[in-house]
mmCIF file of all heavy atoms in Angstrom:
data_model
loop_
_atom_site.group_PDB
_atom_site.id
_atom_site.type_symbol
_atom_site.label_atom_id
_atom_site.label_comp_id
_atom_site.label_asym_id
_atom_site.label_seq_id
_atom_site.Cartn_x
_atom_site.Cartn_y
_atom_site.Cartn_z
ATOM 1 N N PRO B 64 -35.697 -45.049 71.198
ATOM 2 C CA PRO B 64 -36.551 -44.619 70.076
ATOM 3 C C PRO B 64 -37.908 -45.313 70.105
ATOM 4 O O PRO B 64 -38.000 -46.503 70.414
ATOM 5 C CB PRO B 64 -35.740 -45.034 68.846
ATOM 6 C CG PRO B 64 -34.332 -45.062 69.305
ATOM 7 C CD PRO B 64 -34.381 -45.534 70.733
ATOM 8 N N ALA B 65 -38.946 -44.574 69.807
ATOM 9 C CA ALA B 65 -40.318 -45.090 69.702
ATOM 10 C C ALA B 65 -40.852 -45.645 71.025
ATOM 11 O O ALA B 65 -41.801 -46.436 71.025
ATOM 12 C CB ALA B 65 -40.432 -46.144 68.606
ATOM 13 N N GLU B 66 -40.250 -45.244 72.140
ATOM 14 C CA GLU B 66 -40.765 -45.636 73.444
ATOM 15 C C GLU B 66 -40.934 -44.398 74.315
ATOM 16 O O GLU B 66 -40.416 -43.324 74.005
ATOM 17 C CB GLU B 66 -39.816 -46.617 74.145
ATOM 18 C CG GLU B 66 -39.713 -47.967 73.447
ATOM 19 C CD GLU B 66 -38.853 -48.941 74.238
ATOM 20 O OE1 GLU B 66 -38.513 -48.653 75.398
ATOM 21 O OE2 GLU B 66 -38.512 -49.996 73.663
ATOM 22 N N GLY B 67 -41.655 -44.551 75.425
ATOM 23 C CA GLY B 67 -41.792 -43.454 76.359
ATOM 24 C C GLY B 67 -40.581 -43.349 77.268
ATOM 25 O O GLY B 67 -39.802 -44.294 77.394
ATOM 26 N N PRO B 68 -40.391 -42.192 77.908
ATOM 27 C CA PRO B 68 -39.290 -42.046 78.868
ATOM 28 C C PRO B 68 -39.451 -43.028 80.024
ATOM 29 O O PRO B 68 -40.565 -43.217 80.538
ATOM 30 C CB PRO B 68 -39.440 -40.601 79.360
ATOM 31 C CG PRO B 68 -40.247 -39.912 78.314
ATOM 32 C CD PRO B 68 -41.162 -40.944 77.752
ATOM 33 N N THR B 69 -38.361 -43.635 80.420
ATOM 34 C CA THR B 69 -38.350 -44.583 81.539
ATOM 35 C C THR B 69 -37.587 -43.965 82.696
ATOM 36 O O THR B 69 -36.455 -43.507 82.530
ATOM 37 C CB THR B 69 -37.663 -45.898 81.125
ATOM 38 O OG1 THR B 69 -38.341 -46.437 79.994
ATOM 39 C CG2 THR B 69 -37.695 -46.914 82.268
ATOM 40 N N PHE B 70 -38.200 -43.974 83.869
ATOM 41 C CA PHE B 70 -37.568 -43.389 85.052
ATOM 42 C C PHE B 70 -36.294 -44.137 85.418
ATOM 43 O O PHE B 70 -36.258 -45.366 85.431
ATOM 44 C CB PHE B 70 -38.550 -43.418 86.229
ATOM 45 C CG PHE B 70 -37.921 -43.071 87.548
ATOM 46 C CD1 PHE B 70 -37.524 -41.774 87.803
ATOM 47 C CD2 PHE B 70 -37.728 -44.043 88.513
ATOM 48 C CE1 PHE B 70 -36.940 -41.446 89.012
ATOM 49 C CE2 PHE B 70 -37.149 -43.729 89.724
ATOM 50 C CZ PHE B 70 -36.751 -42.422 89.984
ATOM 51 N N LEU B 71 -35.234 -43.380 85.709
ATOM 52 C CA LEU B 71 -33.953 -43.973 86.105
ATOM 53 C C LEU B 71 -33.659 -43.757 87.583
ATOM 54 O O LEU B 71 -33.483 -44.691 88.336
ATOM 55 C CB LEU B 71 -32.817 -43.321 85.307
ATOM 56 C CG LEU B 71 -32.299 -43.994 84.061
ATOM 57 C CD1 LEU B 71 -31.161 -43.173 83.485
ATOM 58 C CD2 LEU B 71 -31.855 -45.410 84.335
ATOM 59 N N ILE B 72 -33.574 -42.502 87.971
ATOM 60 C CA ILE B 72 -33.146 -42.171 89.320
ATOM 61 C C ILE B 72 -33.589 -40.748 89.626
ATOM 62 O O ILE B 72 -33.782 -39.947 88.710
ATOM 63 C CB ILE B 72 -31.609 -42.320 89.455
ATOM 64 C CG1 ILE B 72 -31.170 -42.279 90.925
ATOM 65 C CG2 ILE B 72 -30.868 -41.289 88.605
ATOM 66 C CD1 ILE B 72 -29.719 -42.698 91.133
ATOM 67 N N SER B 73 -33.784 -40.460 90.902
ATOM 68 C CA SER B 73 -34.220 -39.124 91.293
ATOM 69 C C SER B 73 -33.442 -38.662 92.521
ATOM 70 O O SER B 73 -32.749 -39.440 93.170
ATOM 71 C CB SER B 73 -35.716 -39.130 91.595
ATOM 72 O OG SER B 73 -35.996 -40.008 92.677
ATOM 73 N N ILE B 74 -33.597 -37.376 92.819
ATOM 74 C CA ILE B 74 -32.962 -36.816 94.001
ATOM 75 C C ILE B 74 -33.784 -35.645 94.504
ATOM 76 O O ILE B 74 -34.266 -34.828 93.709
ATOM 77 C CB ILE B 74 -31.490 -36.400 93.718
ATOM 78 C CG1 ILE B 74 -30.787 -36.002 95.017
ATOM 79 C CG2 ILE B 74 -31.425 -35.285 92.679
ATOM 80 C CD1 ILE B 74 -29.277 -35.887 94.865
ATOM 81 N N SER B 75 -33.949 -35.596 95.806
ATOM 82 C CA SER B 75 -34.636 -34.473 96.421
ATOM 83 C C SER B 75 -33.657 -33.319 96.586
ATOM 84 O O SER B 75 -32.454 -33.525 96.713
ATOM 85 C CB SER B 75 -35.179 -34.903 97.787
ATOM 86 O OG SER B 75 -35.563 -33.787 98.540
ATOM 87 N N SER B 76 -34.200 -32.115 96.628
ATOM 88 C CA SER B 76 -33.338 -30.939 96.749
ATOM 89 C C SER B 76 -32.640 -30.844 98.104
ATOM 90 O O SER B 76 -31.724 -30.041 98.280
ATOM 91 C CB SER B 76 -34.146 -29.664 96.497
ATOM 92 O OG SER B 76 -35.183 -29.555 97.441
ATOM 93 N N ILE B 77 -33.066 -31.669 99.064
ATOM 94 C CA ILE B 77 -32.415 -31.625 100.381
ATOM 95 C C ILE B 77 -31.206 -32.559 100.447
ATOM 96 O O ILE B 77 -30.524 -32.617 101.467
ATOM 97 C CB ILE B 77 -33.411 -31.979 101.505
ATOM 98 C CG1 ILE B 77 -33.959 -33.396 101.333
ATOM 99 C CG2 ILE B 77 -34.542 -30.958 101.545
ATOM 100 C CD1 ILE B 77 -34.811 -33.848 102.515
#
Side-chain angles (χ1 to χ4, degrees):
Chain B
E66 293 185 11
T69 303
F70 169 71
L71 264 182
I72 193 168
S73 61
I74 188 167
S75 166
S76 60
I77 61 173

